[in-house]
Amino acid sequence: MQKIVVNETGGADQLHLVDFELGAPGAGEAQIKHTAIGLNFIDVYFRTGLYPAETPFTPGMEAAGIVEQVGEGVTNVKPGDRVVYCGAMGSYSTHRNIPADKLVPLPDGVSDDVAAASLLKGLTAHYLLFLTYQLKKGDAMFVQAAAGGVGSILCQWGKHLGGYVIGAVGSEEKMALAEANNCDVVINSSKDGFVEKVREATNGKGVRVVYDSLGKDTFERGLDCLQPHGLMVSYGNATGPVSIPDLGILARKGSLHVVRPMLGAYTSTYEELTNNAKALFDVIQNGVVKVNIGQKFALKDIAKAHNALENRETTGSTIILP
Ligand SMILES: NC(=O)c1ccc[n+]([C@@H]2O[C@H](COP(=O)([O-])OP(=O)(O)OC[C@H]3O[C@@H](n4cnc5c(N)ncnc54)[C@H](OP(=O)(O)O)[C@@H]3O)[C@@H](O)[C@H]2O)c1
């Protein structure tokens, strides 16, 4: 058995592959053999120390696999079941024990690779579109990183719900991908100012909701893309964390709303987790959302995967094969 360990937070060179032995699962736990691990930007935040974790730790929040053993009292899964989970640190490993109430059984129509590429990102897209704000038919929405992991799913699902989807990407090459994610308008923000382009695309009106995963560099300009009473959903910090020293900025820019949501708050019960996952698997199985796995890395090459994600070289989702 192998896992990645971070002894000190820092660069991607802090991700070390080690051998280890795993005991039997405890009461309420299941032992999983991972088949595919999801790479997420939150893994970078923990590795760098932006989000605190006690060292040493094994990063990774998401994986699919097969249940090998279950501990006392586990009834929701059994050995041989295909499962997926997210939001439980320690997925950068070949095997692990995990509380069984984190595990979602996988339907036949969803492969392990697709599950690991989509559960965390797709549950995020789900709560952004249905729970943080209930997107309505005709609502204009603006999505940063529209060719990335969360962005790809968010744009496709938002369009299916009747949204007018404006997506921004960081390079010419990513524009076609954002178009394939069903964006109505795609902006190359390395070339064009996105505020002007969003205003242009909405006849000067602005959008009902901005989904900003970039944080520090784009937050304030994102407010300028909103119509009066519009909603800024700041759900990530790829360029650094956001702070608003003066709430008056929201008044001056049109009585705006801001929310800083986290997935965990929308999947805190097993019922919420499995219901929301079912909604996601449904749109994947009926073809509304196509999960684009842009790249795969071996577990031993995890540092390369982190560097690619941080250097904006990935597209769609990335999976790690143990
Ligand atoms: N709050 C939540 O519940 C929650 C849950 C899941 C994910 N998230 C957030 O959602 C975001 C997307 O996550 P993901 O895993 O799907 O990643 P991703 O979108 O696939 O990758 C990040 C993308 O951000 C863009 N970017 C712009 N400036 C960047 C910079 N300085 N450094 C790195 N990337 C930059 C790049 O796209 P371009 O080159 O096209 O600009 C890059 O591909 C992250 O911010 C993550 O923290 C939040």
Side-chain angles (χ1 to χ4, degrees):
M1 295 180 185
Q2 292 188 306
K3 64 181 179 182
I4 300 292
V5 173
V6 169
N7 295 310
E8 263 178 70
T9 55
D13 56 348
Q14 295 296 340
L15 297 158
H16 303 289
L17 183 67
V18 299
D19 293 328
F20 79 110
E21 281 176 22
L22 186 61
E29 289 186 335
Q31 188 165 108
I32 312 296
K33 181 181 184 198
H34 290 149
T35 49
I37 300 162
L39 181 74
N40 291 285
F41 220 93
I42 194 169
D43 306 348
V44 172
Y45 305 147
F46 278 110
R47 193 209 71 222
T48 59
L50 176 68
Y51 289 0
E54 203 175 308
T55 53
F57 65 90
T58 293
M61 291 296 198
E62 176 180 44
I66 301 193
V67 176
E68 296 213 309
Q69 298 179 51
V70 294
E72 201 189 314
V74 172
T75 54
N76 61 323
V77 293
K78 58 181 188 317
D81 283 356
R82 295 170 60 239
V83 291
V84 63
Y85 66 85
C86 67
M89 181 117 86
S91 69
Y92 288 6
S93 56
T94 56
H95 302 72
R96 77 176 293 184
N97 293 333
I98 183 168
D101 63 4
K102 293 276 178 198
L103 298 174
V104 179
L106 267 179
D108 288 345
V110 178
S111 72
D112 293 21
D113 284 7
V114 165
S118 66
L119 187 70
L120 194 151
K121 299 168 187 75
L123 288 179
T124 301
H126 173 269
Y127 85 71
L128 292 173
L129 293 168
F130 292 94
L131 303 171
T132 302
Y133 171 67
Q134 169 78 63
L135 191 84
K136 290 167 200 68
K137 211 169 177 210
D139 276 344
M141 56 185 260
F142 175 46
V143 179
Q144 296 282 12
V150 176
S152 295
I153 299 175
L154 186 56
C155 290
Q156 294 177 66
W157 208 342
K159 180 68 187 170
H160 176 71
L161 295 174
Y164 175 64
V165 184
I166 306 172
V169 294
S171 67
E172 197 68 32
E173 302 80 62
K174 291 184 182 175
M175 290 186 79
L177 283 169
E179 270 157 32
N181 289 333
N182 292 338
C183 288
D184 293 283
V185 178
V186 180
I187 298 167
N188 176 358
S189 40
S190 71
K191 208 175 86 199
D192 297 310
F194 66 78
V195 178
E196 297 69 29
K197 288 285 169 188
V198 169
R199 289 270 158 202
E200 212 175 283
T202 53
N203 297 322
K205 201 174 158 210
V207 294
R208 179 69 187 83
V209 56
V210 169
Y211 293 110
D212 184 283
S213 58
L214 304 184
K216 191 165 162 239
D217 288 1
T218 52
F219 177 84
E220 203 166 324
R221 283 180 290 150
L223 298 178
D224 291 324
C225 297
L226 285 165
Q227 48 188 254
H229 317 293
L231 174 66
M232 159 61 78
V233 184
S234 173
Y235 73 99
N237 347 262
T239 68
V242 175
S243 55
I244 323 180
D246 169 21
L247 278 183
I249 193 172
L250 303 178
R252 290 190 294 278
K253 290 183 186 286
S255 294
L256 303 177
H257 300 248
V258 175
V259 60
R260 177 55 176 98
M262 276 298 264
L263 174 60
Y266 296 93
T267 49
S268 56
T269 66
Y270 194 61
E271 197 185 0
E272 277 176 333
L273 171 67
T274 49
N275 284 347
N276 299 352
K278 182 180 180 317
L280 172 67
F281 295 149
D282 284 351
V283 287
I284 291 175
Q285 286 177 288
N286 65 23
V288 164
V289 167
K290 294 184 180 61
V291 178
N292 168 21
I293 302 175
Q295 45 286 305
K296 299 182 183 183
F297 293 87
L299 186 58
K300 69 177 175 47
D301 293 326
I302 189 68
K304 287 184 190 160
H306 271 228
N307 285 331
L309 187 61
E310 283 181 279
N311 294 332
R312 306 167 70 167
E313 289 160 7
T314 62
T315 55
S317 297
T318 303
I319 56 168
I320 310 298
L321 299 175

